Amino acid sequence: MNETLKTINNLRSARNDFIDKKVPAQIMNTIIEHSMKAANASNVQRYSMILVDEPKILEVITNKNTAKIAIVYCLDYNRVIETAKYMGYDYIPGTDNWYDIISGIFDVSALAQTAVIAAASLGVDTVITNSVLRQNQKEIVNQLKLPEKYCFAVMAVLFGYRDIPRIVQNNRLAAEYIVHHNQYRTLNSEEHNDIIAGYDQFYPQYIDDAHPHYLDFFFNDWCGPKDERVNSALKERMKEAGFIIL
Ligand SMILES: Cc1cc2nc3c(=O)[nH]c(=O)nc-3n(C[C@H](O)[C@H](O)[C@H](O)COP(=O)(O)O)c2cc1C
């Protein structure tokens, strides 16, 4: 296995367990520069990153995680609009169509995941989090001084170091359940049982009398009713920022 594949194979998300040691600025710069090699639609680069190391802002962004530094990834058209204006064009951002928004969210995600891989190759631990979506949206805009329009904080990556050994574990389903050849196929009961048993191996700590399998915990307790307040707040923020999809 080459070094790149080893790095990818050993990826594991950190949790709220970063030690009190900040990633040096030079390493963060290397991570950022390399993450920007990620593919993006039409090379528009309709995103911005906010590097956050101010404790008060970090607290809001990360929901009190122990990480000392984070990057918030925003889908952001402001720079493109400004450049167009500077050149005398009236550029209309595609914030009112699914095609553009889906492509934009892919761009942001590729940027974040590439940062995770770059970080791991440098011995830096990370976790991607969508906690920015669960926070008070006005607070996110205020703390980060985000432009009101055409900018939306999609996710964050927290960077740091852990002092516990990284447990390399295959915690993904077998590719045969995920990859379809030419045409989509539905799984049979034997395969479903295998998936259930697979999750039991990944997460035995969730199995108890009330939850014979991890997925009993997942479907009963974890993916319970979605918080409608979060959904309405996000809808409101997106509308305010000009991302309007009916
Ligand atoms: C969009 C996205 C949001 C996530 N949000 C969180 C989060 O808020 N908190 C967290 O601890 N992990 C979060 N994760 C990490 C996943 O929980 C993690 O990738 C998954 O459980 C698999 O574990 P592994 O990355 O260690 O293999 C997120 C991952 C993604 C891609």
Side-chain angles (χ1 to χ4, degrees):
M1 208 188 281
N2 67 36
E3 289 306 311
T4 309
L5 293 180
K6 267 190 217 159
T7 301
I8 293 171
N9 194 48
N10 292 349
L11 287 176
R12 281 314 301 275
S13 297
R15 297 291 169 197
N16 190 12
D17 53 6
F18 292 101
I19 58 168
D20 191 16
K21 179 181 163 194
K22 195 172 159 189
V23 181
Q26 202 192 345
I27 294 189
M28 286 307 297
N29 287 342
T30 305
I31 294 169
I32 290 170
E33 269 175 36
H34 287 78
S35 72
M36 289 178 66
K37 289 286 185 181
N40 73 95
S42 306
N43 206 13
V44 177
Q45 299 169 72
R46 64 199 117 177
Y47 39 57
S48 292
M49 291 178 242
I50 322 259
L51 188 65
V52 181
D53 58 1
E54 160 69 45
K56 223 179 96 213
I57 308 179
L58 263 181
E59 195 178 310
V60 175
I61 298 308
T62 71
N63 199 16
K64 302 193 178 142
N65 192 287
T66 50
K68 299 281 168 291
I69 194 156
I71 297 177
V72 178
Y73 292 86
C74 302
L75 178 56
D76 177 27
Y77 284 84
N78 285 280
R79 189 188 53 256
V80 189
I81 294 169
E82 290 302 316
T83 306
K85 204 191 286 171
Y86 178 74
M87 293 176 71
Y89 292 103
D90 192 15
Y91 173 78
I92 299 165
T95 53
D96 60 352
N97 69 77
W98 282 112
Y99 177 86
D100 229 273
I101 292 179
I102 292 171
S103 302
I105 290 184
F106 171 82
D107 295 345
V108 170
S109 310
L111 195 62
Q113 180 64 35
T114 308
V116 164
I117 295 171
S121 77
L122 297 167
V124 175
D125 290 299
T126 57
V127 59
I128 296 179
T129 172
N130 50 14
S131 72
V132 285
L133 302 179
R134 298 190 291 272
Q135 310 304 323
N136 180 310
Q137 292 300 303
K138 287 202 185 341
E139 185 72 356
I140 296 282
V141 172
N142 285 342
Q143 291 286 341
L144 297 173
K145 299 277 177 284
L146 296 183
E148 282 279 319
K149 296 287 267 184
Y150 308 127
C151 182
F152 181 78
V154 179
M155 63 182 76
V157 179
L158 318 187
F159 298 85
Y161 299 98
R162 307 161 90 191
D163 58 2
I164 48 171
R166 187 185 297 229
I167 301 162
V168 180
Q169 176 201 20
N170 180 14
N171 63 351
R172 295 296 189 270
L173 299 176
E176 68 206 71
Y177 302 143
I178 309 274
V179 183
H180 304 260
H181 194 140
N182 289 322
Q183 293 186 322
Y184 198 96
R185 79 176 181 95
T186 47
L187 305 183
N188 60 36
S189 47
E190 199 183 315
E191 291 169 317
H192 284 301
N193 284 332
D194 196 40
I195 288 175
I196 296 165
Y199 273 107
D200 288 347
Q201 274 190 354
F202 307 156
Y203 305 116
Q205 66 272 33
Y206 292 91
I207 299 172
D208 56 25
D209 289 347
H211 310 100
H213 299 287
Y214 164 77
L215 287 177
D216 289 308
F217 163 79
F218 177 79
F219 291 125
N220 274 318
D221 300 1
W222 184 248
C223 87
K226 297 276 174 274
D227 190 342
E228 187 45 41
R229 277 171 313 170
V230 170
N231 197 31
S232 344
L234 287 175
K235 269 196 217 159
E236 198 185 314
R237 169 72 198 122
M238 289 203 84
K239 203 167 149 201
E240 200 178 72
F243 293 85
I244 302 160
I245 297 178
L246 297 173

